[in-house]
Amino acid sequence: MPRRRTASSSGTGELLQTLEDLTNRILEGIKLQQARVELAAALQRQVLSAELPALAGLQVAGRYAPARAGLDIGGDWYDGFLMPDGSVGFVIGDVQGHDVEAAALMGQVRTCLRAIAIATTDPAEVLQRTNDLLVAMDSELFVTCSFLRFDPVTNELADARAGHIPAVWATGDGCCDIILNDGGLPLGIYAGESYPSTRRVLTDVGAFVLLTDGVVEGPGYPIEEGLAQVANLVIDACRTDPNELAARVIKVADLTGHSDDAAVLVIRYGGLQQQWQGEG
């Protein structure tokens, strides 16, 4: 004789069905998040895969490290490319956020910078035009970055930054500086923003190290300490191979707790005499 289904067994069945539905939803959410992370990582790999330019007397190397959590990916990048007037452009940047949207915007900003550099190679103008374009796109994210232009004929390096952290500069005679020249707001906030630039003629031997904040700042680790750590490394190794120096600098992120992704771009120059020249 079959057993009659009681109210208790019916309630248990409904509970099990609810748990199964919740489990399936959680698994679907996990798969979706994994897919988003994989897509962001693929977009970032594509951006970072471009070969960096090398000229006589100038060597360049870059490094990238994802966040330790593995989910915070997609915001940081670096780039280097030849420009129509024979100069070379270098950029490092950080898009607000760490997801597919940040990775997609990163690719768009990289393309914008390269396209605008066809019309003008002045760092201040490149950032200004890129900023106005991003504002017109009405993106909800903003971007910090530094743009540098090196002229191999005059050995002049011009740079401008948009809300980005300072670069570190060291020379072979033992001088080292954290470059705190004025900059403008991050890209994509207000149209018409201006970006002061600084120009310097490079001589002798030295290195510029461009960073994102994931290298030098973390939970309980102030940015000043991180920049000081990088400065110590650069001043001791500015005559070494840029790949080796970039590898050393990216390890500073391990001291910070590495809660963010991190990028480093090393520009090493040699055989050149040193002058300063500021431009507002």
Side-chain angles (χ1 to χ4, degrees):
M1 182 175 179
R3 289 173 117 188
R4 294 178 63 186
R5 189 173 184 185
T6 65
S8 176
S9 62
S10 175
T12 300
E14 291 176 359
L15 177 59
L16 291 174
Q17 184 62 51
T18 300
L19 289 173
E20 182 180 352
D21 292 343
L22 287 173
T23 301
N24 289 334
R25 291 178 190 175
I26 291 171
L27 291 175
E28 288 175 3
I30 292 173
K31 290 179 181 178
L32 177 60
Q33 179 61 25
Q34 288 176 336
R36 289 173 65 87
V37 170
E38 289 172 4
L39 177 57
L43 290 170
Q44 192 151 40
R45 281 195 301 271
Q46 183 176 8
V47 169
L48 295 175
S49 64
E51 185 176 350
L52 293 170
L55 302 174
L58 194 75
Q59 297 174 299
V60 188
R63 287 290 187 278
Y64 171 80
R68 285 182 173 180
L71 298 179
D72 289 341
I73 191 168
D76 293 14
W77 92 99
Y78 57 80
D79 196 14
F81 52 94
L82 293 172
M83 296 190 287
D85 63 358
S87 63
V88 188
F90 298 105
V91 62
I92 192 165
D94 184 357
V95 179
Q96 175 195 18
H98 307 91
D99 50 27
V100 175
E101 287 75 16
L105 183 60
M106 173 188 61
Q108 291 176 320
V109 174
R110 174 178 177 267
T111 301
C112 287
L113 288 165
R114 283 179 170 243
I116 289 170
I118 295 175
T120 176
T121 61
D122 178 73
E125 289 188 27
V126 170
L127 292 185
Q128 185 175 22
R129 295 188 187 189
T130 303
N131 172 67
D132 290 346
L133 183 57
L134 291 180
V135 172
M137 289 168 56
D138 198 24
S139 171
E140 295 182 356
L141 303 177
F142 63 81
V143 183
T144 72
C145 79
S146 292
F147 188 88
L148 286 74
R149 172 188 183 270
F150 176 73
D151 185 339
V153 176
T154 63
N155 292 329
E156 181 186 79
L157 183 72
D159 68 277
R161 60 190 180 108
H164 203 70
I165 67 170
V168 177
W169 179 29
T171 58
D173 59 4
C175 294
C176 186
D177 189 22
I178 296 171
I179 303 174
L180 295 171
N181 54 295
D182 292 338
L185 291 174
L187 305 177
I189 297 179
Y190 295 119
E193 178 71 3
S194 61
Y195 297 91
S197 65
T198 300
R199 301 175 186 274
R200 50 182 67 80
V201 176
L202 304 181
T203 61
D204 192 31
V205 175
F208 276 82
V209 178
L210 307 176
L211 315 152
T212 59
D213 56 7
V215 180
V216 293
E217 187 176 31
Y221 198 93
I223 190 171
E224 293 81 8
E225 290 187 25
L227 287 170
Q229 287 281 350
V230 172
N232 289 336
L233 289 173
V234 176
I235 197 170
D236 290 338
C238 69
R239 292 181 180 272
T240 64
D241 179 83
N243 285 288
E244 181 180 343
L245 179 54
R248 292 183 191 179
V249 172
I250 199 71
K251 289 182 179 179
V252 174
D254 294 334
L255 302 175
T256 70
H258 214 322
S259 60
D260 196 358
D261 52 348
V264 172
L265 184 64
V266 174
I267 304 169
R268 184 190 175 280
Y269 59 92
L272 307 165
Q273 190 180 8
Q274 192 168 322
Q275 303 174 38
W276 262 99
Q277 192 174 323
E279 177 184 72

